[in-house]
Amino acid sequence: MQQDLFSLVDDSGLDAVAGGRGRRLGPGTVLFPGLAAADAPQLVAEINGVAAAAPFRHMQTPGGQAMSVAMSNCGPLGWVSDRAGYRYQASDPASGQPWPAMPAAFRQLAGAAAALAGFADFVPDACLINRYVPGARMSLHQDRDERDFSQPIVSVSLGLPVIFQLAGETRSGPRLRLPLAHGDVLVWGGPDRLRFHGVQTLAAGEHPLTGACRYNLTFRRAS
Ligand code: MD3
Ligand code: FE
């Protein structure tokens, strides 16, 4: 596994980013350990507010399987999956209503993290909220439902830790395995935007803020 790590992490992997707050994992990928930890109580309160209007649900894959991760969205556009495929849409299919507004604290965190990673003026129009309980996982995939791959993506992890997997631009080949903990923020874009990635099965546990679950906020420019 050590060998995999060195073949996947760019030479610049030793560089600190943004005054030592970030760690470069690839030419366009920066991890900020704990960057969102101080804001976490407010972020979780905002998640609960969004979920009151747009409850977490297990979407169907195009193949008809229920995903193990439960999802909701906020912002102008939300990511959805059903028998018709993957797409972004302005309304919640469960209610027909617009998705809840993106909380200002979400937008500010995403913009600040992107700027620290070197992506100025990131204005997300979609925030997917993933909720993992023990046993949930996300298999290796690319994020390619967005219009402009030059826009970065910002991911915020809250609650229980998980191991995420980062591969190259194909499904096969070596994978970097990296723990993502409470408050960690990952920004990726540029040459890393289309790398395959996934999340290993969440292990049982209790987190003081989230209980037996992990949340991931994924901020994107979809349109
Ligand atoms: C991709 N979510 O919703 S984001 C997704 O933790 C999704 O819920 C995961 O993948 C989650 O589409 C993981 C983390 C991530 C981190 C670094 C990456 C994805 C990456 C680097 C390159 C490409
Ligand atoms: Fe993804």
Side-chain angles (χ1 to χ4, degrees), residues 6 8 38 51 54 75 84 105 112 123-124 134 188 190 210 218:
F6 285 112
L8 276 164
V123 181
W188 73 99
T210 65
T218 309

Side-chain angles (χ1 to χ4, degrees), residues 138 141-143 188 197 220:
M138 190 174 283
H141 66 277
Q142 291 172 298
D143 290 12
W188 73 99
H197 58 280
R220 301 187 178 89

Side-chain angles (χ1 to χ4, degrees), residues 24-37:
R24 186 168 291 284
L25 301 182
T29 308
V30 184
L31 171 65
F32 297 97
L35 183 68

Side-chain angles (χ1 to χ4, degrees), residues 130 132 141 143 166 186 188 192 197 199 214 216 220:
N130 293 330
Y132 296 75
H141 66 277
D143 290 12
L166 182 57
L186 257 165
W188 73 99
D192 290 329
H197 58 280
V199 171
R214 168 182 187 258
N216 182 263
R220 301 187 178 89

Side-chain angles (χ1 to χ4, degrees), residues 35-183:
L35 183 68
D39 292 335
Q42 189 196 349
L43 298 174
V44 171
E46 300 282 17
I47 290 170
N48 292 334
V50 169
F56 284 101
R57 83 292 306 263
H58 295 272
M59 295 182 189
Q60 303 266 116
T61 66
Q65 303 260 59
M67 295 183 180
S68 62
V69 178
M71 298 175 169
S72 184
N73 287 278
C74 60
L77 291 170
W79 186 87
V80 300
S81 178
D82 59 21
R83 295 302 298 236
Y86 307 131
R87 65 194 174 277
Y88 285 92
Q89 63 176 55
S91 61
D92 179 348
S95 66
Q97 294 298 118
W99 297 104
M102 194 181 301
F106 282 21
R107 222 180 322 109
Q108 282 158 16
L109 173 62
L116 284 172
F119 299 98
D121 305 316
F122 176 55
V123 181
D125 61 7
C127 174
L128 172 65
I129 309 174
N130 293 330
R131 186 184 68 192
Y132 296 75
V133 297
R137 61 191 284 271
M138 190 174 283
S139 57
L140 214 60
H141 66 277
Q142 291 172 298
D143 290 12
R144 49 183 322 144
D145 302 319
E146 300 76 30
R147 206 154 273 161
D148 180 1
F149 297 147
S150 75
Q151 293 277 337
I153 299 180
V154 175
S155 150
V156 179
S157 292
L158 297 166
L160 292 178
V162 79
I163 295 175
F164 107 95
Q165 299 190 346
L166 182 57
E169 286 197 6
T170 61
R171 200 176 281 284
S172 60
R175 299 176 192 176
L176 168 69
R177 286 180 178 76
L178 190 85
L180 285 181
H182 179 67

